[in-house]
Amino acid sequence: MTFPHLRLSANPHDRTGVRRKDQAWLDERWADPESRVLLVSGTRVRPVSGRVPWLSPQEAPEGLRVLLGEQGGRAHFAVVVPPGSVPGEKHEWFPLRGLLPHLATDGLDEAPLLFHALGLAEWLHVTRFCPRCGGALEAQASGHELVCSQCGRSQFPRTDPAVIMLVTAGEPGSPAERCLLGRQALWPEGRYSTLAGFCEPGETLEDAVRREVAEEVGIRVGEVEYFGNQPWPLPASLMIGFLGRAESTEIQVDDDEIEAARWFTREEMKAEAEAGTLALPAGVSISRSLVEHWYGDTLPGQW
């Protein structure tokens, strides 16, 4: 079974990090009409005919040039401009979440480049001043480093590790085996997903799984097994998937992050998904992959 969330990272580009400060090489590749450029307005992209558009350098406006790397023998850049500084109505520009459905159909090869570009754009957007002295920051290293104009301290892009987990109980593979899903109060009726949360300082990923599940639904988790991971720059996360085995089954939701949680057998999950009363996350998410890995097949319906 091939998981969509893994296919989103299946064709990574060469990030050519050693070239980020090589101005002669950068100028040469920028002058090459075969190079490709993604225009980013703030943290958004304007799709054309349902696809992410790539321009030649000659077509790109002035802005912060970000080197993404090389793919298919071509250099790829992003040009980041202030919001509203290029043509197009506001509703025509989409954040990464709005672009994910296009990637799931025919844009899988572009996903790593897009994740890279918009992840950096998000970081540049929110990192305006030096956290040490408050001085202005200046972009260097093709957009991958910000240097304070006053104290000289460098800032680099940050990625926040987040655990996402499917917890199961009962004899593995048996009809009675169940998996645990939860829902937030803001979600439409019937929408459920796996539990997730951020890793705290000084904490292992496995202990983050156990703590988050205990905090959110009161379930005690024992064995924790690594499943896979997915870049998730919304705005700056790496989703790290796990399978956990429950040592208790009584649910006590925290009524803060989680409104309700349920145990589902495979039969219940299939019946409710087919009836449309259970909506699971979209196919490009690692949450969907975790659920269908446990279920053993694809399921109908999604957010």
Side-chain angles (χ1 to χ4, degrees):
M1 187 174 180
T2 302
F3 297 117
H5 89 273
L6 296 176
R7 289 192 286 122
L8 283 176
S9 304
N11 191 28
H13 53 290
D14 179 356
R15 296 183 176 232
T16 56
V18 296
R19 297 292 193 180
R20 290 172 184 165
K21 296 183 179 182
D22 187 342
Q23 196 58 50
W25 185 89
L26 291 167
D27 290 343
E28 177 184 346
R29 301 314 295 270
W30 187 261
D32 183 354
E34 291 299 310
S35 294
R36 289 293 173 260
V37 181
L38 178 67
L39 177 58
V40 181
S41 176
T43 61
R44 295 172 175 249
V45 170
R46 184 187 186 191
V48 176
S49 300
R51 293 190 61 89
V52 175
W54 291 91
L55 311 174
S56 70
Q58 294 70 36
E59 296 172 307
E62 289 297 318
L64 175 62
R65 296 180 190 175
V66 174
L67 174 65
L68 302 177
E70 294 183 305
Q71 188 181 68
R74 292 175 168 176
H76 286 70
F77 296 85
V79 168
V80 182
V81 300
S85 63
V86 289
E89 298 295 328
K90 184 176 181 180
H91 70 271
E92 297 176 330
W93 293 84
F94 287 82
L96 179 55
R97 190 176 296 276
L99 299 169
L100 289 175
H102 303 303
L103 297 178
T105 53
D106 57 5
L108 291 173
D109 289 347
E110 300 172 339
L113 287 162
L114 190 65
F115 284 0
H116 187 176
L118 291 185
L120 277 176
E122 288 278 2
W123 172 67
L124 292 166
H125 180 68
V126 300
T127 312
R128 305 294 185 87
F129 302 99
C130 175
R132 171 179 285 178
C133 72
L137 297 171
E138 299 175 353
Q140 295 187 11
S142 298
H144 290 75
E145 180 180 355
L146 293 173
V147 179
C148 179
S149 59
Q150 293 186 26
C151 71
R153 182 182 176 89
S154 292
Q155 303 296 319
F156 297 94
R158 303 295 298 270
T159 297
D160 300 320
V163 293
I164 184 166
M165 45 279 183
L166 185 76
V167 177
T168 60
E171 182 65 26
S174 72
E177 187 184 21
R178 301 172 290 169
C179 79
L180 179 67
L181 301 178
R183 55 172 280 105
Q184 297 180 12
L186 295 177
W187 292 353
E189 189 67 28
R191 178 179 291 187
Y192 279 81
S193 183
T194 50
L195 304 180
F198 287 101
C199 185
E200 295 187 348
E203 185 176 46
T204 67
L205 296 171
E206 292 83 357
D207 283 341
V209 169
R210 298 183 180 101
R211 174 183 53 78
E212 285 288 344
V213 174
E215 289 177 355
E216 293 183 352
V217 295
I219 298 296
R220 188 173 67 254
V221 173
E223 180 183 353
V224 174
E225 178 185 354
Y226 174 72
F227 174 77
N229 67 87
Q230 176 183 51
W232 201 245
L234 299 166
S237 298
L238 176 68
M239 303 301 292
I240 308 167
F242 291 92
L243 300 167
R245 292 294 295 172
E247 293 183 341
S248 65
T249 58
E250 183 180 353
I251 296 172
Q252 295 179 325
V253 297
D254 62 2
D255 290 323
D256 180 16
E257 294 184 59
I258 301 298
E259 177 198 51
R262 282 183 55 193
W263 291 103
F264 292 84
T265 66
R266 291 179 177 85
E267 183 179 356
E268 290 169 340
M269 181 175 287
K270 179 176 185 291
E272 294 187 34
E274 289 178 343
T277 56
L278 171 65
L280 298 169
V284 297
S285 71
I286 193 171
S287 179
R288 180 78 175 213
S289 297
L290 280 162
V291 171
E292 292 189 340
H293 168 77
W294 172 78
Y295 178 74
D297 202 349
T298 57
L299 286 161
Q302 62 181 35
W303 295 5

